[in-house]
Amino acid sequence: SLGTVGVALKTCHPFGTLVEERIAAGSMEVGLGIHGEPGASLARLAPADAIVDEMLRMIVSTEEGCSYLALPRGERVALLVNNLGAATPIEMCVVARRAITALRSVHGVCVSRVYSGAFMTSLDMSGVSLSLLRLDDERIARLDAPAAPLAWPASATPAADAAPLPPPELPSGAQTRHVPPADATTPPILSSEQQAATLRAVRAAAEAVCALEPLLTEWD
């Protein structure tokens, strides 16, 4: 009922020890252990979406000798995206987004619950793990039950078709003007003189920032 796999770009470094980095630059280790045990394989670094796709393929593979977690289309699952230690928040969001999309569109399963965070870390290991749990009503009820540990977050139920956010309310008395969608016959909003003035202003601002580069670097 449960399948998981991890990928890391760097192994963990226990405090007070000298550990040689075994994962070369431009490579990643697939299926490594939480205590830094060598993984099942080394692979070349790839875009995040491709890495997530391969992780999911491994989890749900039904190939002979590789059967792990067979998920028929329409199956309900909980997805856990785990930070192995040093993944950044934006990296976690990228992985979660792709995993949800691929599970729905490629594997045809229903992602009923999503958890993302640092649940089982390995010091400063730079990587993530994905876990899938097959769900039924009883398991959903247990996952949704109140829990005391502060580290356990409330689950998220991703919307199938999220509605666009409404436009913000303008201050009272603000001047507004409706701008119709542009097409090949729509005249420009700005005149030629206004466009030239805008271009000069933007260029002057950019040149001023470039000229201040030494001072900005010193401040930084």
Side-chain angles (χ1 to χ4, degrees), residues 43-82:
R44 291 187 60 82
L45 191 61
D49 285 1
I51 295 174
V52 173
D53 289 348
E54 177 61 16
M55 294 172 74
L56 294 176
R57 187 199 66 78
M58 295 176 65
I59 293 176
V60 304
S61 174
T62 57
E63 299 175 6
E64 184 177 355
C66 300
S67 181
Y68 196 5
L69 181 66
L71 292 176
R73 302 186 74 84
E75 185 79 79
R76 293 181 294 172
V77 298
L79 166 67
L80 186 144
V81 183
N82 177 54

Side-chain angles (χ1 to χ4, degrees), residues 149-197:
L150 297 178
W152 183 249
S155 65
T157 305
D161 297 301
L165 294 175
E169 294 186 6
L170 296 175
S172 177
Q175 299 293 320
T176 62
R177 181 174 61 149
H178 174 70
V179 179
D183 56 37
T185 62
T186 302
I189 297 175
L190 300 179
S191 66
S192 299
E193 293 78 10
Q194 290 172 324
Q195 293 180 41

